[in-house]
C-alpha cells in the first residue's frame, strides 16, 4: 500500500517542490519579472514535454521507495504484534 501511494503521489510531490523552489527572474526584455512555472499544470506539462516524458516525472523515486519499504514493514509488524498482545 505504501509503495502504490508513493507511485501515485510522487509526480505531484515533484511539482510541489519545483513550484516552492522557483525564483523570480527578469523577462527577456528586462522589463518584467516572470516565474519559470505559472502553476501545477504548467509545471507538469513542461517537465513531461521538455525533460523526458513520464520518466522525468519519476526521476528520483527509487530513494523514496527504498525508504518506504522498511517503514511499511515495521509499521505492519508492530501493528500485528500489538494486536496479538
Amino acid at each position: 500500500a505504501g509503495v502504490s501511494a508513493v507511485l501515485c503521489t510522487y509526480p505531484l510531490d515533484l511539482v510541489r517542490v519545483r513550484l516552492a523552489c522557483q525564483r523570480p527572474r527578469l523577462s527577456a526584455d528586462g522589463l518584467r519579472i516572470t516565474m519559470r512555472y505559472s502553476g501545477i499544470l504548467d509545471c507538469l506539462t513542461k517537465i513531461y514535454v521538455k525533460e523526458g516524458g513520464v520518466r522525468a516525472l519519476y526521476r528520483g523515486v527509487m530513494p523514496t521507495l527504498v525508504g518506504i519499504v522498511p517503514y511499511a514493514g515495521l509499521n505492519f509488524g508492530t501493528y500485528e504484534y500489538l494486536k496479538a498482545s
Side-chain angles (χ1 to χ4, degrees):
V3 172
S4 61
V6 166
L7 290 175
C8 290
T9 60
Y10 192 80
L12 294 175
D13 195 38
L14 174 70
V15 168
R16 179 185 59 85
V17 169
R18 293 244 182 138
L19 288 173
C21 292
Q22 70 178 341
R23 290 183 285 170
R25 59 185 178 175
L26 282 177
S27 63
D29 59 9
L31 300 175
R32 293 173 285 148
I33 293 179
T34 60
M35 301 297 269
R36 183 172 186 176
Y37 306 111
S38 62
I40 295 171
L41 288 178
D42 181 53
C43 187
L44 278 171
T45 304
K46 285 181 179 174
I47 293 171
Y48 184 82
V49 171
K50 295 182 179 181
E51 296 183 27
V54 173
R55 217 169 167 190
L57 293 171
Y58 287 96
R59 188 178 306 131
V61 75
M62 272 319 262
T64 305
L65 289 176
V66 168
I68 197 70
V69 170
Y71 165 77
L74 285 171
N75 191 13
F76 287 124
T78 303
Y79 174 76
E80 290 298 324
Y81 175 77
L82 292 174
K83 190 171 102 174
S85 297

